[in-house]
Amino acid sequence: LTNIDGVKSIYGGGCSSETLGMAPLADQNKILLLSSLSSNPKIEGIGKYVLSLSYSDKKVAEDLADEMKTYKKIAVITEQNDYNVGIHDAFINKIKSYPSVSVVSDETFPKSASDFRSVLEKVKNTNPEAILLNPNVGVTAQNLIRQLAEMKNWSGYGLYSQFAYLSDSSRTAVGKFAEGMVIIDAPSVNSPELLAMMDAVIKDQGGTLDDLGNYYTASTLDAVNLITALIVKDGNDATKVRDDLSTGKFKGYIGDIEFNGHNFVNLVLRGKYVVKDGKAVLESQQ
């Protein structure tokens, strides 16, 4: 793309692994990467030519630790990919600031695994009071919580997680098992303009946007609109586009968009959702 086709600005990567993999080459060759989804904390400070409209997982992880600080014994179950490892590392670092909390089980499983019974048995044997489920979104998350729900003679623990379980469809198979689950993730984005656009996309394309969620639907639309408008304005000059993005102020579906010289968009909000009657209900936002 860059050496043969002369591409100077790229919408992407999607997952953090893609963005982290491309970042050194992008910065070296002055190729702009604008991601709408990548959230690993390592993106901050990685280079001048990598920008993300996502919120950083560092805040999500630290807020999860703040929510779980009242327990004495907690367990963490993490998928081995950059997104989840980023959340894990920031969470473990923050939870250490609460000396009364012990991480009695810290288990990982391979990316896209499907059988978690041995991992769950190890966690069960440590008898945690609360569990942080930290898989990636999709089938893996669905299988993990389903197999957890199927564990015999094990109950009474609190459930916590991130974006993977924000979609109500991710918890459908376990029914009431997930009631009370606390999910820390993006702030709620429900502007009339966004909801109208989402309805139009669903009507035109079919399917659902539930797994992507409102925030990432908004950030995806904003990234496409921003990079298109700035290329029209600045031409095929990644440095000009980057400079405009880094220092400018824009209005988007996610709200006011500013980078102020950072790699992540300048957003510090997060939402706390609690599962009630099968729905992830926004309880607070800050």
Side-chain angles (χ1 to χ4, degrees):
L1 288 173
T2 59
N3 293 338
I4 297 174
D5 297 324
V7 170
K8 296 296 182 182
S9 298
I10 296 175
Y11 163 58
C15 295
S16 295
S17 296
E18 298 160 17
T19 298
L20 291 170
M22 290 190 290
L25 289 173
D27 214 55
Q28 176 184 333
N29 295 293
K30 297 182 178 180
I31 305 298
L32 174 68
L33 300 181
L34 177 61
S35 175
S36 61
L37 307 178
S38 297
S39 54
N40 188 291
K42 291 181 181 178
I43 291 170
E44 185 60 51
I46 201 167
K48 295 181 178 179
Y49 285 81
V50 181
L51 301 172
S52 178
L53 287 175
S54 174
Y55 46 90
S56 172
D57 289 327
K58 184 174 186 289
K59 180 164 180 57
V60 170
E62 290 179 347
D63 286 351
L64 278 165
D66 289 339
E67 290 289 332
M68 299 179 73
K69 66 183 180 183
T70 58
Y71 297 99
K72 292 183 178 180
K73 297 167 60 180
I74 65 173
V76 184
I77 304 175
T78 300
E79 186 170 352
Q80 293 174 334
N81 65 62
D82 285 322
Y83 162 60
N84 299 106
V85 170
I87 287 180
H88 168 274
D89 292 350
F91 175 84
I92 293 297
N93 186 60
K94 179 66 175 180
I95 206 69
K96 288 177 180 177
S97 65
Y98 300 113
S100 63
V101 183
S102 295
V103 179
V104 295
S105 183
D106 188 1
E107 297 293 330
T108 60
F109 60 85
K111 184 176 180 179
S112 302
S114 59
D115 188 346
F116 309 99
R117 291 172 180 84
S118 61
V119 168
L120 292 172
E121 195 63 41
K122 289 181 182 179
V123 175
K124 179 182 177 182
N125 290 338
T126 64
N127 195 30
E129 299 170 345
I131 303 172
L132 172 58
L133 297 180
N134 185 25
N136 208 346
V137 66
V139 176
T140 303
Q142 294 170 28
N143 286 337
L144 175 59
I145 197 169
R146 178 177 54 79
Q147 291 175 29
L148 177 59
E150 292 170 351
M151 296 287 288
K152 303 296 184 182
N153 304 316
W154 191 23
S155 61
Y157 47 82
L159 282 178
Y160 293 78
S161 193
Q162 29 73 354
F163 178 66
Y165 294 107
L166 191 58
S167 167
D168 294 330
S169 62
S170 67
R171 295 171 269 100
T172 302
V174 299
K176 294 184 178 181
F177 175 78
E179 286 293 294
M181 185 181 200
V182 175
I183 301 165
I184 303 296
D185 201 68
S188 179
V189 181
N190 291 303
S191 68
E193 296 82 5
L194 174 65
L195 297 180
M197 174 62 79
M198 292 173 68
D199 287 342
V201 170
I202 293 169
K203 182 179 179 180
D204 183 60
Q205 300 292 328
T208 177
L209 293 170
D210 287 349
D211 285 343
L212 190 59
N214 285 25
Y215 184 91
Y216 279 143
T217 300
S219 67
T220 296
L221 292 167
D222 286 341
V224 173
N225 291 338
L226 274 174
I227 202 167
T228 302
L230 289 174
I231 289 173
V232 169
K233 174 180 176 290
D234 295 328
N236 196 27
D237 188 327
T239 299
K240 286 184 178 179
V241 173
R242 188 279 315 271
D243 289 346
D244 280 354
L245 271 174
S246 295
T247 60
K249 298 180 180 181
F250 310 91
K251 291 292 291 186
Y253 288 108
I254 63 173
D256 295 327
I257 298 173
E258 294 182 64
F259 287 96
N260 295 328
H262 293 283
N263 298 87
F264 282 111
V265 68
N266 188 30
L267 290 174
V268 295
L269 289 176
R270 61 84 166 164
K272 176 183 176 181
Y273 303 81
V274 179
V275 177
K276 299 177 181 179
D277 297 323
K279 303 291 184 182
V281 179
L282 181 66
E283 184 174 277
S284 62
Q285 185 161 293
Q286 62 182 35

